[in-house]
Amino acid sequence: APPAVGATVPFEGCVRKKDIEGGNCLVVTTDGVTFDVTAGKSVLKVDQYAAGTGVVTDKVGICMTGPILEQIRLDAKQPDKECTQQ
């Protein structure tokens, strides 16, 4: 089941850019769920392996990717993992 609106959920994975009309989206796939983490673009970099949390919103974004997370916070200690360039 999708996470509840207002819930703080963890995410971990490679930050990927998804080019769509009207802008760039940032997405992270965690345990088979792809989150829209575009709201975290000030702290996330494309192709970075990132771990953190976000708050689920009920907004519909232009990314059409899955639950939109806001209030994105990176964990103090990041996993020592690399992502391949895509």
Side-chain angles (χ1 to χ4, degrees):
V5 171
T8 298
V9 296
F11 65 86
E12 181 175 325
C14 294
V15 178
R16 300 302 189 190
K17 187 170 79 165
K18 185 176 167 190
D19 291 314
I20 45 98
E21 257 183 85
N24 293 332
C25 296
L26 295 180
V27 298
V28 171
T29 302
T30 303
D31 294 333
V33 179
T34 300
F35 293 108
D36 177 341
V37 293
T38 310
K41 60 178 174 267
S42 60
V43 294
L44 299 172
K45 296 185 191 68
V46 176
D47 293 332
Q48 164 193 10
Y49 191 95
T53 59
V55 176
V56 180
T57 72
D58 58 0
K59 294 181 178 168
V60 176
I62 54 175
C63 306
M64 300 292 180
T65 307
I68 295 178
L69 300 184
E70 292 188 337
Q71 298 174 47
I72 293 187
R73 296 207 169 106
L74 289 177
D75 294 344
K77 183 160 178 17
Q78 289 294 299
D80 187 17
K81 295 187 183 177
E82 294 289 316
C83 296
T84 53
Q85 303 284 326
Q86 277 194 337

